[in-house]
Amino acid sequence: EIRNGEENAKVDYTAIPTAFHKTADDLMGIKDGIRVAVEKAMQNEKMKTELITNVSHDLKTPLTSIINYVDLLQKCDIDDETAQSYLSVLSEKSDRLKHLIEDLVEASKASSGAITVHTVSVSVNEFINQLTGEHSEGLSEKNLTVIVNLPDEDIVVKADSNLLYRALENLIVNVKKYAMEHTRV
């Protein structure tokens, strides 16, 4: 019963010889020790998830204000090209920070098993073609040649379309960041 994860397993001392009572006591001690360790691990995981959620929420509030103010400033008639360039950088970096915070929350949910997955039939070919198209400018800025080698027959998988898209997009983003220039992808 203990081997199968039955945490309420008890030893029936009347059913075993007296010589094995010490071994039975040791088994019960191991079972209790494992239960305590699992409870601590679960408590630590819950605290980590709550910390990430709270910090993420605390970061989102001022970040939302920054994004809104940058948006308002971009709508103003500002002739200074340097100021326009600074606003563009602020907009890009604040959007990136927003996505990083969202990714952090999702990673926390995934590691705790609290993520909701909605599986549907997804065309991998379509995702790859869409992503390479969306990132073609950034890839060519790094002088990366994209080679897509997909079979004629569509690859269809059962997956959460949002999660699969993010995983594939993360691969392309990492390629843009870390691939050596003038190479093939």
Side-chain angles (χ1 to χ4, degrees), residues 72-92:
L72 289 171
L73 284 170
Q74 286 177 324
K75 291 176 182 173
C76 290
D77 188 23
I78 300 174
D79 292 333
D80 187 342
E81 286 185 30
T82 304
Q84 287 288 353
S85 128
Y86 291 162
L87 281 173
S88 178
V89 170
L90 277 172
S91 177
E92 180 185 321

Side-chain angles (χ1 to χ4, degrees), residues 2 5-10 27-43:
I2 293 169
E6 191 63 47
E7 63 182 72
N8 296 322
K10 301 251 189 259
L27 280 173
M28 290 294 97
I30 290 170
K31 177 194 68 117
D32 291 339
I34 290 172
R35 181 184 46 77
V36 168
V38 168
E39 286 174 2
K40 281 184 182 177
M42 289 174 59
Q43 183 180 16

Side-chain angles (χ1 to χ4, degrees), residues 18 23 30 71 78-79 87 89 123 125 141 150 152-153 156 158-160 166 170 174:
T18 307
T23 303
I30 290 170
D71 185 51
I78 300 174
D79 292 333
L87 281 173
V89 170
S123 167
N125 298 40
E141 283 175 4
L150 293 170
D152 292 334
E153 187 177 315
V156 178
K158 286 280 191 189
D160 184 298
R166 287 177 67 180
N170 189 47
N174 284 338

Side-chain angles (χ1 to χ4, degrees), residues 63 87-100:
L63 180 60
L87 281 173
S88 178
V89 170
L90 277 172
S91 177
E92 180 185 321
K93 298 300 180 185
S94 58
D95 281 344
R96 176 76 180 127
L97 185 56
K98 179 182 174 188
H99 290 295
L100 287 172

Side-chain angles (χ1 to χ4, degrees), residues 22-134:
K22 172 73 171 107
T23 303
D25 288 341
D26 290 342
L27 280 173
M28 290 294 97
I30 290 170
K31 177 194 68 117
D32 291 339
I34 290 172
R35 181 184 46 77
V36 168
V38 168
E39 286 174 2
K40 281 184 182 177
M42 289 174 59
Q43 183 180 16
N44 288 340
E45 190 64 32
K46 183 179 177 186
M47 286 173 56
K48 180 180 82 172
T49 302
E50 287 176 2
L51 174 66
I52 290 171
T53 302
N54 291 339
V55 169
S56 298
H57 178 73
D58 290 347
L59 291 172
K60 275 184 182 180
T61 303
L63 180 60
T64 301
S65 294
I66 291 168
I67 290 170
N68 289 335
Y69 279 115
V70 167
D71 185 51
L72 289 171
L73 284 170
Q74 286 177 324
K75 291 176 182 173
C76 290
D77 188 23
I78 300 174
D79 292 333
D80 187 342
E81 286 185 30
T82 304
Q84 287 288 353
S85 128
Y86 291 162
L87 281 173
S88 178
V89 170
L90 277 172
S91 177
E92 180 185 321
K93 298 300 180 185
S94 58
D95 281 344
R96 176 76 180 127
L97 185 56
K98 179 182 174 188
H99 290 295
L100 287 172
I101 292 170
E102 289 168 357
D103 288 348
L104 180 64
V105 171
E106 288 300 315
S108 173
K109 286 180 183 177
S111 71
S112 69
I115 195 165
T116 305
V117 178
H118 302 286
T119 57
V120 293
S121 294
V122 178
S123 167
V124 175
N125 298 40
E126 189 176 310
F127 269 18
I128 291 173
N129 288 328
Q130 181 180 347
L131 281 164
T132 53
E134 287 175 6

